[in-house]
């Protein structure tokens, strides 16, 4: 009772902390404090201000009328009042700035025959600094661009929510009904990633538990067989979640696997204990003796499996990426924590709920390895549930007779899916996480089609020695660089001080096309830069530093996957190196989205390396706990095939290997190894009885096969629920985990016995042979 009271108090304590679980996929969490790229980005923010933004796009037949400008102005003013918004640029703001500039006033005087608004329309459509940013080329789509600076995921989420509310308020007004707004941008995508992952996990996790309860009820047919495993799983999840929050951690694309992994490990352990307890209780009809025998015979392999799984996941701590390292630590702790809770809580609960006469149990051939003959009660239950027992017996005989063909079929299937792995693409694409019909996907596609790309990239040019960025040579380098960028299909626009200087030079020279170029002297360039603000372009101040030694080129690209992005960045670097890199100028590429894509790419490389180590250490430890290098090597086969099939399915179906799906492989190792250790450990014990491999296989299947089926089926049906998520990473997680668990079950029931009978890695003891000889005599 004292232990149970302590567990309840600790669960309440951790449950209090678990309520504070948050999700954060922001760039900062993926980089270490001393990361060179992050330090470079912070320096960029210091020099030029924040680059994170969100965009509201609006289309209309005629944007250049008072009603349209008033609507845009009203929405822009709402945005300016929101916390986290640093600056807002809109068509209404440009209109206000331009009509007060001396250059525009002069133009209206020279075009007296045209309306005021028509002059403004022609002016802005001819302005390259506004094209594909504030206004589309056909003049029918405009953007309200808000530069934002959020303190964290919660403030970003709140800002996006308040922005949506502001848009909804505008659409609800009678005079604006029928107008469609489109909201997108890096800030919106980041907030949506957090929101959707939280929403679906919170909605579907309870359904997963309910479905698991139903499956356990159908299989166990007892109240205790359902309640005790679910309570054990629930306590483990509360404890690990509380630990996670206590140490200041937040959920992300990698650590989202922590709770499902806890579910699988805790469920497996508690079902094994509960099922074995039923069998022991049936033999001795005493709770204490049954619990003692259960812990004595099942506790050792459970401990071995927990340690092996923990060692495998500990390999993730070799990663230099903070979330991967943290996930490795907590996953290792999760395996050990599930062992501790299950071996304390489950026996205590079982002691309060004795086995009923009509319990659904697995009838053993012997009780507690004592050699006692079957009691009448056992024979009764064996007859009652002879279908399941007969199936396992048939499976053992079938495997013994067809071991070569089963192994060849397994290897053949593995070979087919190995070809699928060759088609597997390693790529990160944030937008691919959202369904094509989701609002964020539709809004993003609309803005990229009618206005501009939503992938921001920043290139900083820095002058060295005694020169500065306003010298003609430096400015011409910027022009040359931008001309190259515009030739890239995915680039929708670029902006630098060179654009403003050329445009002002053109205006001063009578707005003639031939004067859209860099002036011949530094003084002229400096004067034109100052005139740009009078011309109505305040944004130019964000494109260079006060000392004029640094200038930025802001690039807007269409959203692409990491592979294409890396190819574009590589070509940009090669162009800079071949044509622009001189002793006078240095160049560096930065920005929040490039950082995020680079980090995701590093996550993939890091986790692939960590998974390789996990695979190696897991099977080294398997060989150690089973005291046989031969057995450890053979155990690789039934554990490698499920992983191969899962990755092959991804390759054939075009599911990319990214930061979310890469963890499936690690979970596959944990699932497969757990059942394999129990099977091999039990087989060694059964083989020591009479030294007969086929008979030992049959008995092993009857003793551990049912538990493996119970665990796998309840988890498979539970995880299939996540296939109904509207968030693709969660969909793939549910589907791939279910596939992995099913294949792991088939491998343990068919491939493991076949390997043992073919290779015979465990020598038969002399005592077993004598016993077998006596039986024959």
């Amino acid at each position: 009772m004292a232990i149970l009271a302590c567990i309840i108090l600790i669960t309440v304590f951790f449950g209090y902390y678990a309520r504070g679980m948050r999700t954060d996929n922001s760039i900062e969490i993926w980089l270490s404090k001393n990361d060179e790229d992050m330090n470079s980005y912070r320096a960029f923010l210091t020099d030029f201000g924040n680059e994170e933004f969100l965009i509201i796009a609006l289309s209309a037949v005629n944007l250049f009328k008072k009603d349209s400008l008033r609507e845009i102005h009203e929405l822009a003013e709402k945005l300016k009042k929101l916390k986290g918004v640093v600056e807002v640029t809109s068509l209404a703001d440009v209109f206000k700035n331009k009509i007060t500039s001396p250059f525009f006033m002069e133009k209206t005087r020279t075009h007296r025959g045209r309306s005021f608004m028509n002059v403004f329309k022609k002016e802005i459509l001819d302005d390259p600094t506004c094209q594909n940013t504030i206004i589309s080329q056909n003049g029918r789509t405009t953007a309200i661009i808000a530069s934002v600076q959020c303190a964290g995921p919660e403030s970003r989420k709140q800002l996006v929510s308040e922005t949506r509310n502001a848009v909804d308020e505008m659409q609800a007004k009678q005079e604006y009904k029928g107008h469609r707004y489109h909201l997108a941008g890096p800030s919106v995508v980041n907030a949506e990633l957090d929101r959707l992952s939280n929403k679906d996990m919170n909605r579907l996790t309870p359904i997963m538990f309910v479905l698991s309860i139903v499956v356990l009820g159908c299989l166990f047919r007892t109240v205790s067989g359902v309640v005790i495993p679910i309570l054990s799983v629930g306590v483990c999840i509360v404890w690990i979640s509380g630990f996670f929050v206590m140490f200041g951690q937040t959920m992300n694309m990698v650590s989202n696997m922590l709770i499902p992994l806890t579910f699988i490990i805790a469920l497996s352990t508690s079902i094994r204990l509960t099922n074995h307890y039923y069998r022991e209780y049936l033999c001795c009809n005493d709770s204490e003796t049954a619990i003692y025998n259960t812990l004595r015979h099942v506790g050792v392999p459970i401990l071995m499996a927990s340690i092996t799984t923990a060692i495998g996941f500990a390999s993730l701590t070799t990663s230099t990426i903070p979330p991967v390292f943290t996930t490795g630590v907590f996953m290792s702790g999760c395996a050990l924590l599930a062992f501790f809770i299950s071996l304390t809580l489950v026996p205590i609960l079982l002691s309060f709920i004795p086995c009923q006469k009509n319990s659904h149990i697995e009838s053993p051939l012997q009780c507690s390895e004592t050699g006692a003959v079957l009691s009448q009660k056992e024979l009764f239950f064996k007859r009652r549930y002879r279908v399941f027992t007969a199936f396992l017996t048939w499976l053992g005989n079938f495997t013994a007779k067809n071991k070569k063909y089963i192994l060849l079929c397994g290897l053949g299937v593995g070979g087919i899916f190995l070809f699928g792995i060759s088609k597997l693409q390693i790529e990160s694409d944030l937008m691919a996480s959202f369904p094509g019909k989701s609002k964020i996907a539709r809004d993003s596609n609309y803005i990229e089609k009618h206005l501009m790309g939503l992938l921001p990239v920043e290139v900083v040019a820095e002058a060295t020695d005694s020169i500065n960025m306003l010298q003609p040579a430096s400015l011409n380098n910027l022009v040359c660089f931008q001309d190259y960028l515009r030739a890239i299909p995915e680039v929708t626009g670029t902006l630098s001080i060179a654009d403003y200087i050329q445009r002002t030079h053109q205006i001063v020279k009578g707005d003639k096309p031939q004067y859209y170029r860099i002036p011949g002297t530094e003084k002229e360039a400096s004067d034109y830069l100052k005139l740009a603000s009078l011309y109505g372009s305040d944004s130019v101040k964000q494109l260079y530093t006060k000392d004029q030694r640094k200038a930025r080129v802001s690039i807007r690209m269409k959203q692409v996957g990491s592979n294409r992005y890396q190819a574009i960045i590589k070509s940009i670097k090669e162009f800079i190196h071949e044509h622009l890199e001189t002793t006078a100028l240095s160049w560096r590429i930065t920005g929040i989205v490039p950082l995020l894509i680079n980090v995701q790419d590093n996550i993939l490389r890091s986790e692939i390396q960590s998974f390789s180590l996990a695979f190696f250490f897991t099977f080294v430890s398997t060989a150690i706990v089973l005291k046989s290098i031969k057995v450890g090597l053979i155990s690789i086969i039934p554990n490698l095939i499920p992983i191969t099939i899962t990755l092959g399915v991804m390759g054939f179906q075009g599911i990319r290997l990214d930061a979310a799906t890469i963890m499936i492989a690690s979970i596959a190792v944990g699932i497969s190894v757990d059942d394999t250790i129990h099977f091999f450990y039990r087989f060694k014990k059964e083989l020591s009885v009479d030294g007969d491999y086929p008979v030992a296989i049959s008995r092993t299947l009857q003793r551990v096969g049912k538990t493996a089926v119970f665990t796998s089926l309840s988890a498979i049906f539970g995880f299939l629920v996540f296939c109904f998520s509207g968030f693709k990473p969660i969909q793939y997680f549910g589907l791939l985990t279910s596939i992995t668990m099913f294949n792991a079950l088939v491998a343990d029931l068919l491939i493991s016995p076949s390997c043992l009978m073919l290779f015979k890695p465990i020598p038969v003891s002399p005592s077993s042979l004598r016993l077998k000889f006596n039986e024959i005599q």
Side-chain angles (χ1 to χ4, degrees):
M1 287 298 293
I3 296 175
L4 182 60
C6 287
I7 291 175
I8 293 172
L9 288 174
I10 295 172
T11 303
V12 171
F13 174 77
F14 283 127
Y16 173 79
Y17 278 97
R19 296 183 310 160
M21 184 74 76
R22 295 184 300 108
T23 300
D24 183 9
N25 285 297
S26 59
I27 186 67
E28 292 82 6
I29 69 166
W30 303 99
L31 299 170
S32 61
K33 294 180 179 179
N34 298 321
D35 186 86
E36 185 177 339
D37 292 335
M38 190 63 191
N39 290 335
S40 177
Y41 178 61
R42 291 193 184 102
F44 167 82
L45 295 180
T46 301
D47 292 332
F48 301 101
N50 200 61
E51 59 130 12
E52 190 175 349
F53 65 92
L54 56 84
I55 292 175
I56 301 174
L58 171 65
S59 294
V61 176
N62 187 6
L63 291 169
F64 297 92
K65 60 180 183 177
K66 289 182 179 180
D67 290 343
S68 298
L69 289 176
R70 184 172 65 249
E71 178 183 357
I72 295 167
H73 173 74
E74 186 176 341
L75 184 53
E77 290 302 311
K78 285 179 179 289
L79 289 183
K80 290 175 183 178
K81 295 176 183 178
L82 299 182
K83 185 179 179 181
V85 174
V86 179
E87 184 182 15
V88 176
T89 305
S90 69
L91 187 63
D93 294 308
V94 174
F95 176 75
K96 181 181 176 181
N97 289 334
K98 281 192 180 293
I99 63 174
T100 57
S101 69
F103 297 115
F104 187 80
M105 292 178 184
E106 180 63 27
K107 272 201 168 180
T108 57
R109 284 195 294 269
T110 57
H111 294 82
R112 293 186 183 276
R114 298 172 60 186
S115 67
F116 190 81
M117 195 63 75
N118 281 338
V119 175
F120 170 68
K121 179 179 180 180
K122 184 179 185 308
E123 177 70 15
I124 196 169
L125 290 177
D126 290 342
D127 190 343
T129 63
C130 294
Q131 287 179 4
N132 292 332
T133 53
I134 296 299
I135 195 74
S136 61
Q137 289 184 344
N138 63 9
R140 293 186 177 182
T141 305
T142 186
I144 302 173
I145 305 173
S147 176
V148 303
Q149 188 170 13
C150 300
E154 293 303 317
S155 60
R156 183 181 289 109
K157 179 181 175 181
Q158 182 179 353
L159 174 60
V160 172
S161 176
E162 290 175 348
T163 303
R164 289 194 186 281
N165 291 337
V167 170
D168 291 340
E169 288 175 8
M170 292 292 293
Q171 288 181 322
K173 290 187 176 183
Q174 188 64 36
E175 61 267 35
Y176 303 140
K177 275 194 172 179
H179 292 189
R180 292 192 61 187
Y181 297 90
H182 305 271
L183 176 63
S187 299
V188 183
V189 171
N190 204 311
E192 281 294 289
L193 280 173
D194 293 347
R195 187 185 70 83
L196 286 179
S197 60
N198 265 339
K199 175 187 172 184
D200 281 356
M201 289 297 286
N202 293 337
R203 179 172 60 92
L204 296 176
T205 299
I207 301 176
M208 177 188 72
F209 268 85
V210 170
L211 208 56
S212 298
I213 289 172
V214 172
V215 175
L216 283 175
C218 293
L219 294 172
F220 265 123
R221 302 185 189 179
T222 65
V223 174
S224 58
V226 174
V227 173
I228 291 175
I230 293 299
L231 279 177
S232 176
V233 170
V235 170
C236 286
I237 289 176
V238 170
W239 281 37
I240 199 70
S241 299
F243 267 120
F244 200 72
V245 175
M246 278 182 65
F247 282 91
Q249 303 301 319
T250 55
M251 284 294 174
N252 50 63
M253 286 185 289
V254 174
S255 60
N256 274 341
M257 304 300 156
L258 183 62
I259 302 303
L261 180 69
T262 305
F263 178 88
I264 294 170
I265 294 175
L267 186 68
S268 173
T269 304
S270 56
I271 287 178
R272 292 183 193 283
L273 289 168
T274 304
N275 190 52
H276 199 89
Y277 168 82
Y278 287 161
R279 185 167 61 239
E280 294 291 345
Y281 184 87
L282 192 59
C283 295
C284 60
N285 203 29
D286 178 72
S287 294
E288 290 188 9
T289 305
I291 290 171
Y292 172 77
N293 288 335
T294 298
L295 295 178
R296 183 163 64 93
H297 296 299
V298 184
V300 174
I302 289 177
L303 175 61
M304 288 178 175
S306 299
I307 292 174
T308 303
T309 304
I311 291 173
F313 284 121
S315 63
L316 293 173
T317 60
T318 59
S319 174
T320 58
I321 299 172
V324 178
F325 174 86
T326 302
T327 302
V329 171
F330 278 92
M331 280 186 169
S332 298
C334 163
L336 300 177
L337 185 65
F339 168 79
F340 171 75
I341 292 176
S342 297
L343 259 71
T344 53
L345 181 61
V346 172
I348 292 172
L349 295 177
L350 286 171
S351 67
F352 289 108
I353 309 174
C355 187
Q356 302 295 323
K357 286 186 178 183
N358 61 346
S359 297
H360 178 57
I361 64 165
E362 175 186 358
S363 300
L365 296 176
Q366 294 176 321
C367 294
S368 307
E369 292 87 33
T370 60
V373 295
L374 293 171
S375 66
Q376 291 299 316
K377 189 184 291 185
E378 288 178 294
L379 291 173
F380 168 76
F381 285 115
K382 184 175 182 180
R383 286 193 299 270
R384 183 175 177 182
Y385 300 105
R386 62 184 178 273
V387 175
F388 196 86
T389 304
F391 168 73
L392 293 174
T393 303
W394 172 85
L395 190 65
N397 294 333
F398 175 79
T399 306
K401 292 177 183 178
N402 302 280
K403 50 186 176 291
K404 290 183 181 179
Y405 301 109
I406 290 173
L407 184 57
L408 285 174
C409 285
L411 294 175
V413 170
I416 292 172
F417 284 97
L418 197 62
F419 174 69
I421 294 178
S422 67
K423 296 178 174 291
L424 193 61
Q425 294 183 355
I426 301 176
E427 184 170 25
S428 299
D429 187 353
L430 287 177
M431 289 309 300
S433 301
F434 304 104
K437 295 183 179 180
S438 64
K439 182 170 176 54
I440 180 66
R442 286 187 285 109
D443 285 351
S444 297
N445 291 336
Y446 184 90
I447 291 174
E448 290 199 334
K449 180 180 178 181
H450 293 87
L451 258 176
M452 61 176 169
L454 294 171
L455 188 67
V457 180
E458 302 289 343
V459 179
V460 178
E462 183 175 1
T464 57
D465 300 329
S466 59
I467 68 171
N468 62 51
M469 292 306 303
L470 295 185
Q471 292 183 356
S474 300
L475 292 172
N476 281 318
N477 273 335
L478 292 179
V479 172
C480 177
F481 181 50
Q482 288 180 261
D483 288 341
Y484 168 76
L485 292 173
R486 292 186 186 106
I488 299 174
E490 290 81 1
V491 173
T492 61
T494 68
L495 192 64
S496 75
I497 55 173
D499 296 305
Y500 286 98
I501 291 171
Q502 290 179 104
R503 178 60 179 154
T504 309
H505 184 214
Q506 181 184 18
I507 292 172
V508 170
K509 298 296 184 180
D511 210 7
K512 296 178 180 179
Q514 64 267 29
Y515 288 105
Y516 187 79
R517 55 181 172 81
I518 298 297
T521 66
E522 179 184 341
K523 185 178 185 307
E524 283 183 289
S526 179
D527 291 339
Y528 291 149
L529 200 57
K530 294 173 184 176
L531 286 171
S533 58
L534 295 175
Y535 160 64
S537 303
D538 289 337
S539 300
V540 69
K541 296 176 183 177
Q542 298 176 359
L543 296 173
Y544 68 104
T545 56
K546 289 182 179 180
D547 61 5
Q548 300 176 353
R549 297 183 65 83
K550 295 179 184 177
R552 69 192 266 199
V553 178
S554 288
I555 307 167
R556 293 290 181 267
M557 289 170 49
K558 292 180 180 179
Q559 296 176 113
V560 295
S562 59
N563 291 341
R564 176 56 184 157
Y565 167 78
Q566 295 287 8
I568 293 173
I569 294 300
K570 182 181 179 182
S571 69
I572 290 174
K573 289 180 178 178
E574 288 174 352
F575 179 82
I576 290 173
H577 177 71
E578 293 174 6
H579 300 92
L580 303 177
E581 200 167 57
T582 64
T583 56
L585 290 179
S586 63
W587 303 76
R588 74 174 189 272
I589 301 172
T590 187
I592 192 167
V593 174
L595 270 178
L596 182 58
I597 294 176
N598 285 336
V599 165
Q600 286 183 325
D601 190 64
N602 290 337
I603 288 172
L604 292 177
R605 312 300 174 201
S606 174
E607 288 186 357
I608 290 172
Q609 178 185 355
S610 298
F611 169 70
S612 302
L613 288 173
F615 200 83
F616 173 75
F617 285 125
T618 294
F619 294 107
V620 166
S621 57
T622 300
I624 292 173
V625 297
L626 294 174
K627 299 177 182 178
S628 171
I629 295 176
K630 222 184 228 187
V631 173
L633 290 172
I634 290 174
S635 69
I636 291 176
I637 300 173
N639 285 285
L640 192 59
I641 289 176
I643 300 169
T644 302
I645 292 175
T646 301
L647 295 177
V649 167
M650 292 174 65
F652 284 128
Q653 292 299 315
I655 301 174
R656 295 168 179 169
L657 198 64
D658 57 22
T661 56
I662 184 66
M663 292 302 294
I664 297 295
S666 298
I667 289 179
V669 172
I671 294 168
S672 300
V673 167
D674 183 61
D675 284 337
T676 302
I677 286 181
H678 282 280
F679 189 93
F680 279 45
Y681 183 86
R682 187 75 213 182
F683 175 78
K684 286 184 71 175
K685 281 188 171 294
E686 296 298 339
L687 187 65
S688 65
V689 175
D690 51 19
D692 191 317
Y693 264 80
V695 174
I697 287 292
S698 182
R699 288 200 299 263
T700 301
L701 283 172
Q702 290 186 38
R703 291 179 185 266
V704 301
K706 180 179 175 182
T707 305
V709 171
F710 278 23
T711 303
S712 299
L713 288 182
S714 58
I716 287 169
F717 282 103
F719 282 113
L720 280 175
V721 171
F722 291 110
C723 294
F724 297 98
S725 169
F727 192 48
K728 284 190 177 180
I730 295 179
Q731 285 180 1
Y732 292 151
F733 165 71
L735 175 64
L736 296 174
T737 302
S738 299
I739 290 173
T740 301
M741 296 200 71
F742 176 78
N743 291 324
L745 175 64
V746 173
D748 282 317
L749 295 180
L750 290 174
I751 306 298
S752 292
S754 300
C755 290
L756 287 170
M757 284 188 285
L758 272 174
F759 300 111
K760 290 185 169 54
I762 303 172
V764 179
S765 63
S767 59
S768 300
L769 291 174
R770 283 196 298 271
L771 180 61
K772 184 68 176 176
F773 177 76
N774 293 333
E775 288 178 356
I776 294 173
Q777 290 293 101

